[in-house]
Amino acid sequence: MTDKVSWGILSTANIAKKSMVPAIHEAKNAELVGVASESGKAKETAEQWGAHKYYESYDALLNDDTIDAVYIPLPNALHKEWLIKAAQHKKHVLVEKPAALNSEDIIEMNKAAEKNHIFWMEAFMYQFHPQHQCVKSWLSDGRIGDITRIRASFSFPLELSSSNIRLNKELGGGSLYDVGCYCVHVSRFLLEEEPIKVFATARKLVDSNIDITTSAILTFEKVDAVIDCSFNEAKVNRYEVIGTKGSIEVPYAFRPDHNPDGGKGVVILKNVNGESVDYQSFEANQFTEQVTHFSECILSHKSPHYSPESTYNNMKVLEALYKSLG
């Protein structure tokens, strides 16, 4: 049995170029074999990315038996179609978040995966960074007492008159789908439970009805999570866990590589008076950690620790938030 998973990438998306390609090259149990593009850039991109093969269509890549797994960074509305096709070709799949646009699609995707005996995972890469295990350790040790509130924010400025796919409703655009999903995910990830009810409000583009700024409250059994996301605000990607005896801050929660101090993950513990009492920093490439984990699951025939069930549950919360927006 080979000690490396052969990877293929469907499309030449920027997230693949900037983050996933370097991660696959860096992971010791993965190898980038092929790139597929339907825009005529396949050969050029494969050469730039260091892939051995190129394909002028996504189907051509899926028909290559030497490819073990595919990464799908296509627009959100295309995730379901191509995950199911990949599953039918017996390819394991790492699909960008959100994995689909509704929970019914997630059910269909998982049925296709189970029928064809392949693993699939939604690419919430941030959860593989060690800074979050530090947070969980501090929480389990009771260092901030009982958790009472979580605050999570993810925003960045986007040219709102552009043709960016994040602003295309038909392709699954919107700030909640694109970055708010992280805030939902981390709230569930930290509490290890599902919210009882949700409420959301948003600022939308008049022409497209796309949410460009969304604020929401997720009500859990004993904790409220206050989240916000935006395409129209300064860069922020952080969360804070507040308790009866202190708080924990993670200032570069979802993209620690955006930290100007060497791209480090940072976790800050504060006492009840708001004074810093502990500080930890972590160096890791969360994209590489994600690729390594998923590749190891394929090689060892063990299910990824981030399950399709959790993906489904995250989507149910997003659906409820969008319903709240009206």
Side-chain angles (χ1 to χ4, degrees):
M1 185 178 68
T2 180
D3 60 351
K4 288 189 177 184
V5 171
S6 297
W7 281 84
I9 299 178
L10 301 187
S11 96
T12 58
N14 277 336
I15 186 67
K17 176 183 178 180
K18 295 180 179 179
S19 301
M20 281 297 295
V21 169
I24 294 173
H25 285 309
E26 188 174 66
K28 294 180 180 179
N29 58 357
E31 179 182 19
L32 180 59
V33 172
V35 178
S37 174
E38 298 188 340
S39 62
K41 299 179 180 178
K43 183 177 181 180
E44 174 188 352
T45 302
E47 291 174 352
Q48 291 176 351
W49 291 2
H52 309 316
K53 300 180 180 181
Y54 67 92
Y55 314 83
E56 301 294 348
S57 72
Y58 303 146
D59 286 309
L61 185 151
L62 296 181
N63 281 320
D64 187 339
D65 292 336
T66 67
I67 300 291
D68 301 316
V70 295
Y71 169 58
I72 302 178
L74 295 165
N76 299 338
L78 301 179
H79 290 174
K80 172 190 170 183
E81 174 188 354
W82 287 102
L83 183 143
I84 290 175
K85 286 184 177 180
Q88 291 169 343
H89 285 80
K90 313 300 182 184
K91 311 298 185 192
H92 302 284
V93 180
L94 180 64
V95 60
E96 262 309 324
K97 36 52 55 185
L101 299 182
N102 58 69
S103 57
E104 289 300 315
D105 283 355
I106 299 294
I107 292 174
E108 287 187 52
M109 292 158 71
N110 199 46
K111 284 182 178 178
E114 291 179 344
K115 180 180 179 180
N116 291 281
H117 307 289
I118 62 101
F119 294 133
W120 74 281
M121 189 174 77
E122 186 178 27
F124 274 112
M125 75 296 175
Y126 86 92
Q127 65 188 310
F128 293 93
H129 198 284
Q131 63 180 340
H132 309 293
Q133 296 309 315
C134 174
V135 174
K136 284 204 163 189
S137 175
W138 286 356
L139 292 176
S140 64
D141 289 345
R143 298 190 70 177
I144 64 168
D146 296 328
I147 304 172
T148 58
R149 188 179 301 275
I150 292 173
R151 296 192 182 105
S153 303
F154 201 168
S155 62
F156 64 94
L158 184 66
E159 178 48 62
L160 300 180
S161 62
S162 71
S163 58
N164 192 294
I165 60 172
R166 293 177 176 86
L167 303 174
N168 188 319
K169 192 173 185 65
E170 292 182 357
L171 293 178
S175 65
L176 184 55
Y177 270 144
D178 190 61
V179 284
C181 63
Y182 286 93
C183 301
V184 170
H185 188 280
V186 78
S187 302
R188 298 174 50 256
F189 172 77
L190 293 172
L191 295 173
E192 297 182 357
E193 61 180 278
E194 305 302 329
I196 300 166
K197 61 181 179 180
V198 303
F199 171 79
T201 184
R203 306 290 180 179
K204 300 182 179 182
L205 290 179
V206 176
D207 294 339
S208 63
N209 202 37
I210 282 286
D211 61 291
I212 57 170
T213 298
T214 298
S215 301
I217 298 176
L218 314 183
T219 303
F220 293 84
E221 184 179 0
K222 296 180 180 180
V223 178
D224 291 326
V226 181
I227 70 172
D228 59 85
C229 57
S230 182
F231 292 152
N232 196 35
E233 296 175 2
K235 276 189 176 182
V236 173
N237 74 101
R238 68 184 304 276
Y239 69 76
E240 181 181 15
V241 189
I242 302 166
T244 54
K245 297 180 180 179
S247 64
I248 301 172
E249 295 181 11
V250 187
Y252 299 96
F254 310 114
R255 294 301 301 266
D257 51 314
H258 289 175
N259 182 354
D261 183 20
K264 297 177 181 178
V266 174
V267 184
I268 306 166
L269 178 67
K270 294 185 176 182
N271 63 21
V272 72
N273 295 317
E275 301 162 332
S276 295
V277 293
D278 203 343
Y279 174 101
Q280 299 290 329
S281 64
F282 302 86
E283 291 190 50
N285 184 329
Q286 59 194 15
F287 292 95
T288 303
E289 297 296 326
Q290 175 180 246
V291 170
T292 299
H293 172 71
F294 193 63
S295 296
E296 180 56 33
C297 290
I298 294 170
L299 294 171
S300 61
H301 307 288
K302 294 181 181 179
S303 299
H305 71 65
Y306 180 49
S307 68
E309 179 184 7
S310 188
T311 292
Y312 173 83
N313 290 337
N314 210 67
M315 181 53 64
K316 290 292 287 185
V317 178
L318 291 173
E319 281 182 320
L321 290 169
Y322 270 116
K323 183 177 181 180
S324 180
L325 292 181

